[in-house]
Structures are given as structure tokens and as C-alpha cells.
Amino acid sequence: MATIQAIIVETDGTFRETQIENSLGAFQAVVGGYIEGVFGKVGTVYVNEEGLLRSLPFNPLATLFANRILEQGVRLHGAALLVGPADTDGYDTDVRPAVVDYFTMEG
């Protein structure tokens, strides 16, 4: 399976760039369960779809990104995985350099 460049955003505000296998199992391992995507033109944020039900900690940095950049009105809980937008075949792509820059400036 191919790998893609991604950003993992933790609930404590820390984040890191990583290479991750572009697979459901790898994404689920990051968020600790079933994934839910928050989609936008510049990328996708994946979180645990049961984050609120499981009382996972609020993720302010991922929420700010999803609301400000992806223009979605959400409140995200638990670790978040950020990847690039889907390609024409529906596969996630590398996180865009501008998104990496955004986190470097915000973090």
C-alpha cells in the first residue's frame, strides 16, 4: 500500500508531520477507532467518529483548522489526522505544503 504525507494533531495542541500508509486501518490506528471525515477543498481531517460519545478530549487546533480553513462548523474530539484532498479516483493525497505552513504558524 502506498504512503502519503500527513499531519497528526493531538488534543494538547501538538502536531507532527508523518508518512502514513494510505489505508483505513492506518487511519483508524491514529484516531483510535472508526473514522469520520471533515472534508474541504484543501484537505480532509479524520477523527474518531465516536469521539464525543466516548468523551475524548476536545481538539482545539484541529477544530480551528476545520472551521477556519475547511469552512466547516464542527467541534472535533480526539486525535486528528490531516491529509490532502482526494484525487480523481477518491484516494487521499499528501497534505498540502500550505497546510503544513498553517500549522507551523499556528502551533
Side-chain angles (χ1 to χ4, degrees), residues 15-99:
F15 62 91
R16 67 184 184 282
E17 292 181 69
T18 188
Q19 285 280 351
I20 188 168
E21 184 178 295
N22 195 356
S23 71
L24 177 61
F27 290 13
Q28 287 175 328
V30 170
V31 304
Y34 296 115
I35 62 171
E36 178 175 4
V38 179
F39 303 94
K41 291 180 182 176
V42 299
T44 301
V45 179
Y46 290 107
V47 293
N48 186 310
E49 77 172 5
E50 297 178 328
L52 187 59
L53 294 173
R54 293 175 52 197
S55 299
L56 296 180
F58 174 62
N59 192 324
L61 191 55
T63 296
L64 182 64
F65 176 79
N67 291 331
R68 182 185 291 172
I69 305 301
L70 300 182
E71 299 178 347
Q72 302 294 324
V74 295
R75 184 174 169 88
L76 304 176
H77 292 261
L81 176 69
L82 281 69
V83 298
D87 64 18
T88 56
D89 294 321
Y91 294 103
D92 292 302
T93 61
D94 290 330
V95 67
R96 291 186 174 173
V99 173

